[in-house]
Amino acid sequence: MRQLWILLLVFFSPLLISRSYAQESFYHPELEWKTIETEHFYVHYHDGAERTARVVSKVAEDIFGPVTSLYNYVPDQKVSFIIKDYDDYSNGAAYFFDNKIEIWAPALDFDLRGTHNWLRNVITHEFTHIIQIQTSMKFGRRVPGIYFQWLGYESERRTDVLYGYPNVIVSYPISGVVVPSWFAEGVAQYNRHELSYDYWDSHRDMILRMYALDGNMLSWNEMAVFGKTSLGNESAYNAGFAFVRYIAERYGQEKIPEISRNLSSLSELTIDGAIKSAVGKDGIEVYNEWKEFLKRDYTERTSAIQATLSPLDTIAFVGFGNFYPTFSPDGKKIAYVSNKESDYFGTAGLYLYDLTTKQETLLQAGVRSQIAWSPDAKKIYYGKITRDNPHWSNISDLYVYDIREEEETRISHGWRAMSPTVSPDGKSLAFVVGSDGTMNIATSDIDGKNYRKLTNYIKGEQVYHPKWSPDGKTIIFDYSIKDGRDLATVPSNGGEVTFLLQTPADERNAVYSQDGSQIFYSSDETGIFNIYQMNLSTKYKVQSTNILGGAFMPSINQEGTLTFANYTSTGYKIMMLKEAKQLQSPGAYVKTEQSTTPLSASNQSNNDDSNFDWNSLRSYDDTKFRSDTVTSYKNIASSLTLIPFIRVDNYNPKNKGIDVIKPGLYMYSYDVLERYGFFGGAAANTQFERDLFFIFDYRGKIPGLFDLGVEPAMSLEFYNITRKTDSQLRLPLDTLPVEISYNLIEFDVAFKQKIFTEALDFELRYAHSRYTANIGQFYLPETKYLVPASSDLYFIGNDISAKFDLNGIEPSRTMEINPVGRKLRLRYDYEFNKFNSEGEYEISNDGLLVPKYDRPSFHRLEASWKEYIKLPGWKHTLTAQLRGGTIFGPPVDDFFNYYIGGLAGMKGYPFYSLGGNEFVYGNLTYRFPVSN
């Protein structure tokens, strides 16, 4: 029956509407947004983020001239900044096709990065992305690229099916941007040497130094893509920053924009050629030159250290993220957080290491915060990111884990609190809280009552890692306002902040000795972070460790044993130094401030723009704002983006047996907040067969629903697909060839929202469909009578569906190809339709022929469970799948059947061979890596 072909199009639709535009899962329609407009920018922010927005508007105008003048390029319209402060998350993102930049207000506190002024750093970084990548575009900002596509289909043996199930898709994109990740990120971090908002600090040097000394540097090809782990991602940034600096300092800063302009040429397809055109040497040649320089330079500068390295015992070596080692009160155990075999810092857990038995235990998953013991050693306190709050914000709250009961208890709700420390009497907590890009120290009772702020910073100040003094009178913490950190204290009952160490070096992670007379802390005063101890009375300090990587987050027990996180070329490891005492002659390391090969006078003069006051730009004061006017949010939409494609749609229509060339176009535009916008596409071939779709998304407040606390995303969708085929019309005395075309139209409205947990998605959808068969005109053989074309609207469908999707896949770098976890789906449909299954007609009162419709109405229920099981000791998994569905009531026409065919490898079972009103289907799949 021809209706089976229609089901193919339902499955084919996802291939048409695969959208490349990035979207968030949480839209926060409860927020009211405002806009600051400046000469070159729009700054959009929501209530509670005005300070950050005003700083952004100031910094953006400060750096507009310096960045655009270097590239001799100005955007064709104002760039929009979107300021977000509803998540405890630090990042920036540049949408260079849309002239849009997103900034998360919380300052970055990332263990692989040093501390710099967050907004100066991230604004310059992201705006440099906009300018440098737009300079490198081949087709302009509105055409990201084009691609070629080939679609293949099963051989369908049913005569009533036009063509088989789609089982092959091959796409070859031609990107309008060929900027490798190392160059894009390296240029954005370098921006230009006169600004130096993100300079080459001790953290950057640490990562590159250990890679170079261990012979573990990223290869030329590895630098071009982001790694699959947190360390791998940062390594591309780090190597890119260092290599871009090398090019600028060796060959001249003007070579950076020249390379970018070279990449915009249609004939320049690789970064190698773009570099060669600029500096006279191929990219790989310059890379090898830089690599040899690094190895030689780092070997020379660390030679003295190599002879006097501290003798260390390893506690935790598995994983690249092992942090916050903390001795238990009796000094016999160490608690720490680690990602172990996971791929991301964010998926770390809380571990306990017993120094006596040398055994470790996972206490609680999902912990990535500074930790603190209770004085009786029965509990451990920490901060934890959660979306368990009214609007699904991703924020941090305080938790406690009872070791004996093996139970986690939540202490705070919506405080945005992290990094807890417990008072010596066990009655109070101190911790860090933040909003609008500013952090403060706060305290509460141990159970979360009597919340109180101890500091009242409001100008973007940052505080980190508070620790209580043994007498309970003082809390020590890290402080930063521009670059690096200093150590300060505040009375635990409130009062004036006092700085203990305020030097050009970066001092951090301080803890008190057991008797409170000294502090142990990490400092980069030599260029390598090491652990120091300082007498609080005499201010006399000594260096306690001497290592090649970096030593952070110290903890000391009663016996004077020191534990800390030590950076190696494979990440942070937990180490222990049994006697933390003064080193008599620690090895020297020549600290590098911003470069190892200073710019020559000639290179500087080529890039020195006297139109800018560089001293003023470097000695900024962002506590003072501009007086720009604030208005309600301006609905700024991105320019229309177009993505042309050429598709070979190889569905082999019956009686033709040819490949069909079908050119088409995707297009989209969204407002900068992504509250509304559309995505659509069209394709047609020479037979005027067409594929059309249009999706309008809306993610703002929906009157009535919002008042009830329901905040769904809504979409309005339209689809239209036509296909033509030659058929045979059988008459009593003859059989005539006729052309039949099928026209499918569908309108949908859908509401989507997460419920109960962020892993559970709910969708409510209504779909209205109209399917028509059109028979072309033809002549009767004997009479030569022209039979006019006719149209048969044989199906009018209405479907109300509710769908639940639970995604319990564990995050990992292979989760897309080798997942672990489970997926569940439950779907209910109520269909009420008009269906002319046999092409029968009735004569109406006015003498016209009208289709004779049946009116099938029924309920259907479908469930699916996929369990992805990791096999012990292997990188292999077993997938068990169980699906089932039923249409309730008496059997309905096979037009409405379920189909479970089209299985890979089951060539004897085309898709439409296995179908019915009820089905149960099971599958086992074994997955294993072909190569690592």
Side-chain angles (χ1 to χ4, degrees):
M1 291 178 63
R2 61 191 175 192
Q3 60 264 27
L4 294 179
W5 170 76
I6 295 167
L7 284 176
L8 167 62
L9 299 177
V10 175
F11 287 99
F12 180 61
S13 295
L15 296 177
L16 297 176
I17 61 174
S18 58
R19 181 179 164 204
S20 61
Y21 197 80
Q23 298 183 12
E24 286 187 318
S25 300
F26 307 93
Y27 307 111
H28 296 280
E30 80 281 1
L31 298 175
E32 297 294 333
W33 289 80
K34 299 177 182 179
T35 299
I36 299 173
E37 184 176 0
T38 70
E39 181 181 358
H40 301 103
F41 300 94
Y42 295 107
V43 181
H44 312 286
Y45 68 97
H46 56 81
D47 289 340
E50 182 173 352
R51 185 208 69 86
T52 300
R54 290 203 176 273
V55 174
V56 169
S57 67
K58 175 191 176 185
V59 175
E61 288 295 343
D62 282 353
I63 58 97
F64 180 86
V67 175
T68 57
S69 66
L70 179 63
Y71 290 86
N72 195 26
Y73 177 88
V74 175
D76 58 358
Q77 62 181 214
K78 292 185 177 182
V79 175
S80 284
F81 281 92
I82 295 88
I83 311 305
K84 300 181 177 182
D85 192 31
Y86 44 74
D87 291 330
D88 288 332
Y89 174 71
S90 298
N91 205 350
Y95 298 82
F96 35 85
F97 293 115
D98 299 329
N99 271 344
K100 181 179 80 170
I101 295 172
E102 292 183 350
I103 302 293
W104 282 262
L108 184 72
D109 181 18
F110 185 35
D111 301 285
L112 292 171
R113 294 278 183 95
T115 301
H116 302 287
N117 183 281
W118 170 239
L119 293 179
R120 284 273 161 180
N121 190 330
V122 72
I123 293 165
T124 310
H125 180 107
E126 302 303 339
F127 185 63
T128 301
H129 271 320
I130 296 285
I131 300 304
Q132 186 267 325
I133 295 180
Q134 288 186 8
T135 300
S136 305
M137 288 179 176
K138 298 182 182 297
F139 310 130
R141 187 169 64 83
R142 290 170 175 80
V143 182
I146 60 177
Y147 71 88
F148 299 92
Q149 190 176 69
W150 188 89
L151 298 180
Y153 301 81
E154 281 185 340
S155 297
E156 183 53 60
R157 291 179 294 182
R158 289 180 58 158
T159 59
D160 55 350
V161 177
L162 188 60
Y163 54 88
Y165 186 80
N167 62 357
V168 177
I169 179 170
V170 179
S171 293
Y172 183 81
I174 299 178
S175 176
V177 177
V178 291
V179 181
S181 61
W182 72 263
F183 190 66
E185 298 302 342
V187 166
Q189 291 170 108
Y190 176 80
N191 47 80
R192 60 182 301 170
H193 76 89
E194 296 91 345
L195 293 175
S196 299
Y197 294 144
D198 190 357
Y199 58 78
W200 191 254
D201 60 22
S202 295
H203 272 82
R204 306 279 194 190
D205 199 56
M206 173 182 73
I207 296 173
L208 190 63
R209 177 175 67 250
M210 296 310 295
Y211 273 146
L213 291 176
D214 289 352
N216 196 27
M217 288 185 62
L218 298 183
S219 69
W220 177 240
N221 290 328
E222 287 171 337
M223 283 173 52
V225 295
F226 291 117
K228 301 301 183 181
T229 67
S230 296
L231 180 57
N233 287 339
E234 183 59 24
S235 296
Y237 279 78
N238 187 261
F241 191 3
F243 192 36
V244 167
R245 285 175 55 249
Y246 181 83
I247 294 173
E249 295 167 354
R250 179 69 182 270
Y251 299 99
Q253 183 174 230
E254 74 278 0
K255 297 302 181 182
I256 304 304
E258 185 176 345
I259 293 170
S260 300
R261 286 189 293 272
N262 292 343
L263 287 169
S264 70
S265 171
L266 292 177
S267 61
E268 195 62 82
L269 302 179
T270 67
I271 188 70
D272 299 77
I275 292 175
K276 186 172 185 179
S277 297
V279 306
K281 298 179 181 179
D282 190 81
I284 187 67
E285 184 179 353
V286 180
Y287 166 81
N288 288 330
E289 177 183 279
W290 167 67
K291 184 177 177 181
E292 288 302 314
F293 162 76
L294 289 180
K295 179 70 173 179
R296 182 175 63 255
D297 180 64
Y298 281 128
T299 300
E300 291 174 357
R301 290 195 288 141
T302 59
S303 58
I305 301 174
Q306 299 275 8
T308 59
L309 291 174
S310 297
L312 303 176
D313 294 327
T314 303
I315 300 299
F317 195 82
V318 177
F320 58 82
N322 298 278
F323 302 108
Y324 309 112
T326 308
F327 279 110
S328 60
D330 61 7
K332 296 181 179 179
K333 297 178 181 179
I334 297 175
Y336 66 99
V337 299
S338 174
N339 74 311
K340 292 300 180 184
E341 296 180 352
S342 181
D343 300 308
Y344 303 101
F345 286 155
T347 54
L350 173 63
Y351 288 82
L352 185 62
Y353 182 85
D354 190 308
L355 292 171
T356 302
T357 64
K358 310 297 183 185
Q359 299 296 314
E360 68 178 10
T361 306
L362 172 63
L363 299 181
Q364 182 66 33
V367 180
R368 174 63 184 86
S369 152
Q370 172 179 299
I371 57 181
W373 289 87
S374 62
D376 60 8
K378 295 180 179 179
K379 298 178 180 180
I380 299 177
Y381 294 79
Y382 46 86
K384 192 174 182 181
I385 297 289
T386 176
R387 289 195 184 274
D388 185 10
N389 49 72
H391 299 289
W392 301 96
S393 293
N394 203 21
I395 59 178
S396 180
D397 271 302
L398 302 179
Y399 291 77
V400 58
Y401 183 82
D402 189 306
I403 299 174
R404 182 178 300 175
E405 299 296 329
E406 299 183 351
E407 182 179 15
E408 180 184 72
T409 302
R410 187 172 179 175
I411 297 172
S412 67
H413 293 266
W415 285 7
R416 306 187 70 172
M418 59 197 80
S419 299
T421 180
V422 181
S423 62
D425 61 8
K427 296 181 179 180
S428 301
L429 292 171
F431 43 88
V432 172
V433 294
S435 65
D436 201 4
T438 303
M439 307 297 286
N440 279 284
I441 302 293
T443 62
S444 74
D445 294 344
I446 199 70
D447 58 2
K449 296 178 180 178
N450 297 317
Y451 173 94
R452 178 192 179 193
K453 276 189 179 180
L454 294 187
T455 60
N456 293 288
Y457 297 125
I458 60 173
K459 297 180 179 180
E461 297 90 341
Q462 303 299 309
V463 297
Y464 315 85
H465 307 303
K467 292 289 186 179
W468 227 295
S469 63
D471 61 8
K473 296 180 179 180
T474 304
I475 297 169
I476 192 169
F477 59 93
D478 305 356
Y479 171 92
S480 180
I481 186 63
K482 283 193 175 182
D483 297 312
R485 301 187 190 182
D486 298 306
L487 296 180
T489 63
V490 63
S492 58
N493 59 357
E496 184 177 352
V497 171
T498 302
F499 283 92
L500 292 181
L501 284 171
Q502 196 171 20
T503 75
D506 185 320
E507 295 109 359
R508 55 176 63 199
N509 309 146
V511 295
Y512 286 93
S513 61
Q514 296 288 326
D515 61 6
S517 64
Q518 300 184 83
I519 59 169
F520 290 81
Y521 63 96
S522 178
S523 174
D524 73 338
E525 66 178 64
T526 67
I528 295 179
F529 278 98
N530 271 288
I531 305 302
Y532 293 77
Q533 59 188 93
M534 184 180 77
N535 186 292
L536 293 176
S537 298
T538 65
K539 305 301 181 185
Y540 178 72
K541 65 178 181 181
V542 296
Q543 183 177 335
S544 299
T545 64
N546 194 47
I547 59 176
L548 280 174
F552 303 87
M553 309 167 193
S555 179
I556 192 87
N557 68 5
Q558 299 94 323
E559 299 175 355
T561 300
L562 185 69
T563 184
F564 57 93
N566 178 36
Y567 185 80
T568 71
S569 63
T570 58
Y572 286 91
K573 316 300 177 182
I574 304 300
M575 302 293 188
M576 192 168 66
L577 180 62
K578 291 187 177 179
E579 294 187 29
K581 58 185 179 180
Q582 177 180 359
L583 296 175
Q584 299 299 320
S585 56
Y589 181 73
V590 180
K591 183 177 181 180
T592 60
E593 295 296 336
Q594 294 192 26
S595 73
T596 55
T597 55
L599 282 163
S600 66
S602 59
N603 285 341
Q604 284 190 5
S605 63
N606 289 337
N607 296 286
D608 186 19
D609 194 330
S610 59
N611 293 325
F612 305 109
D613 185 350
W614 301 115
N615 289 330
S616 177
L617 286 169
R618 285 192 291 265
S619 59
Y620 58 86
D621 180 3
D622 288 341
T623 63
K624 298 176 181 178
F625 307 139
R626 295 162 53 101
S627 58
D628 300 296
T629 302
V630 175
T631 63
S632 296
Y633 166 62
K634 290 178 179 279
N635 296 314
I636 307 298
S638 64
S639 301
L640 182 64
T641 298
L642 306 174
I643 307 175
F645 63 85
I646 297 176
R647 178 183 299 149
V648 178
D649 211 349
N650 185 29
Y651 47 72
N652 291 323
K654 285 183 172 59
N655 303 322
K656 294 184 178 177
I658 60 172
D659 291 349
V660 179
I661 305 298
K662 186 181 291 181
L665 184 71
Y666 292 146
M667 64 194 75
Y668 64 82
S669 178
Y670 278 72
D671 84 307
V672 294
L673 296 185
E674 294 190 31
R675 286 194 164 185
Y676 63 88
F678 74 89
F679 178 53
N685 58 30
T686 56
Q687 302 178 73
F688 299 105
E689 295 175 320
R690 64 179 181 266
D691 303 327
L692 304 176
F693 72 92
F694 183 87
I695 301 173
F696 175 79
D697 292 318
Y698 178 74
R699 307 185 186 95
K701 294 180 181 178
I702 300 178
L705 292 180
F706 184 81
D707 296 335
L708 297 174
V710 181
E711 304 172 358
M714 182 180 74
S715 66
L716 300 175
E717 305 171 12
F718 166 76
Y719 306 93
N720 178 222
I721 300 175
T722 64
R723 294 293 186 270
K724 295 181 179 181
T725 185
D726 292 336
S727 187
Q728 302 291 320
L729 178 64
R730 294 183 179 179
L731 299 178
L733 300 179
D734 206 349
T735 300
L736 303 179
V738 295
E739 183 179 81
I740 300 178
S741 62
Y742 297 94
N743 185 10
L744 281 66
I745 297 177
E746 181 174 317
F747 300 90
D748 290 30
V749 57
F751 298 89
K752 305 172 186 178
Q753 180 168 345
K754 292 186 180 292
I755 57 175
F756 305 125
T757 171
E758 62 181 293
L760 182 60
D761 291 295
F762 172 72
E763 177 188 275
L764 180 65
R765 178 180 292 267
Y766 167 70
H768 175 74
S769 306
R770 303 177 76 87
Y771 297 169
T772 304
N774 300 301
I775 301 177
Q777 64 183 13
F778 61 93
Y779 288 94
L780 293 176
E782 299 296 331
T783 64
K784 301 302 182 182
Y785 173 75
L786 178 64
V787 179
S790 62
S791 178
D792 175 16
L793 176 61
Y794 63 92
F795 178 68
I796 302 174
N798 298 280
D799 182 5
I800 299 174
S801 64
K803 182 177 66 175
F804 298 87
D805 281 303
L806 179 66
N807 188 342
I809 301 300
E810 299 175 8
S812 75
R813 61 189 169 121
T814 58
M815 60 187 294
E816 298 296 334
I817 60 173
N818 198 26
V820 175
R822 65 190 52 84
K823 289 184 178 179
L824 303 176
R825 169 173 287 184
L826 180 65
R827 174 169 177 155
Y828 162 80
D829 294 77
Y830 171 60
E831 295 191 32
F832 50 103
N833 311 292
K834 296 171 68 175
F835 182 40
N836 183 12
S837 61
E838 303 298 332
E840 298 180 356
Y841 290 82
E842 297 177 319
I843 300 177
S844 65
N845 294 333
D846 54 8
L848 299 177
L849 289 176
V850 294
K852 184 178 180 180
Y853 290 111
D854 297 326
R855 297 180 180 271
S857 299
F858 51 88
H859 304 268
R860 70 166 78 215
L861 186 67
E862 182 178 352
S864 172
W865 185 339
K866 289 185 178 180
E867 191 73 21
Y868 303 92
I869 305 165
K870 183 178 180 180
L871 299 179
W874 296 76
K875 293 182 180 180
H876 301 191
T877 58
L878 184 68
T879 302
Q881 179 181 5
L882 182 64
R883 290 178 57 211
T886 183
I887 296 175
F888 295 95
V892 297
D893 192 280
D894 61 2
F895 179 90
F896 304 102
N897 274 353
Y898 293 105
Y899 290 93
I900 59 172
L903 304 179
M906 296 183 66
K907 300 302 183 182
Y909 292 90
F911 186 84
Y912 298 109
S913 296
L914 300 175
N917 285 189
E918 297 177 332
F919 82 97
V920 175
Y921 158 66
N923 176 263
L924 286 176
T925 302
Y926 175 62
R927 299 170 186 257
F928 59 93
V930 176
S931 64
N932 291 322

